[in-house]
Amino acid sequence: QVQLVESGGGLVQAGGSLRLSCAVSGSFRSINDMGWYRQAPGKQRELVATITSGGTTNYADSVKGRFTISRDNAKNTEYLQMNSLKPEDTAIYYCNAKVVSRLFVVMSVWGQGTQVTVSS
């Protein structure tokens, strides 16, 4: 019933920028926290950034000052603006949302992942 569809990944050169989008669709009441995670080859999935429904953000140290997470509650969409990209940012990026169902159950829902590749 609830889907997260990601877009915006691709191949960029080091120093470039990308903007990822994640749209939540389906039947639900509201969305609590949203976030972005990534998984690089041979590494565990790691948190990149989170944002609460009120707009409070949190970032991994590795992306602070370069990435910006935001959300548009009217569109049920979150974004990740990635600037000054580095090769070590190369990973599959997954969006996540804590979706409150019509039955008031909080569900952690994941997007399908989008590949971000940063070349040097």
Side-chain angles (χ1 to χ4, degrees):
Q1 288 189 349
V2 178
Q3 302 89 34
L4 274 61
V5 179
E6 303 179 33
S7 62
L11 173 64
V12 297
Q13 292 185 328
S17 298
L18 283 174
R19 188 188 191 222
L20 307 183
S21 299
C22 176
V24 183
S25 63
S27 180
F28 57 91
R29 292 187 180 275
S30 60
I31 303 172
N32 292 337
D33 292 359
M34 307 182 82
W36 291 92
Y37 298 75
R38 67 187 182 187
Q39 187 167 20
K43 298 181 64 177
Q44 296 279 1
R45 186 183 67 184
E46 65 175 347
L47 184 148
V48 176
T50 61
I51 183 168
T52 69
S53 60
T56 301
T57 59
N58 178 258
Y59 297 92
D61 288 341
S62 60
V63 307
K64 283 181 180 176
R66 300 187 299 119
F67 291 10
T68 302
I69 187 172
S70 61
R71 62 191 289 169
D72 186 334
N73 291 329
K75 295 181 178 180
N76 296 320
T77 301
E78 65 176 310
Y79 307 93
L80 186 67
Q81 179 66 47
M82 304 184 292
N83 298 327
S84 302
L85 282 161
K86 304 174 180 179
E88 48 263 47
D89 295 318
T90 295
I92 301 174
Y93 284 71
Y94 299 90
C95 62
N96 174 265
K98 303 298 190 295
V99 180
V100 182
S101 75
R102 296 295 181 181
L103 298 178
F104 298 100
V105 175
V106 180
M107 306 175 292
S108 181
V109 186
W110 294 89
Q112 80 279 8
T114 185
Q115 177 70 48
V116 172
T117 302
V118 184
S119 63
S120 60

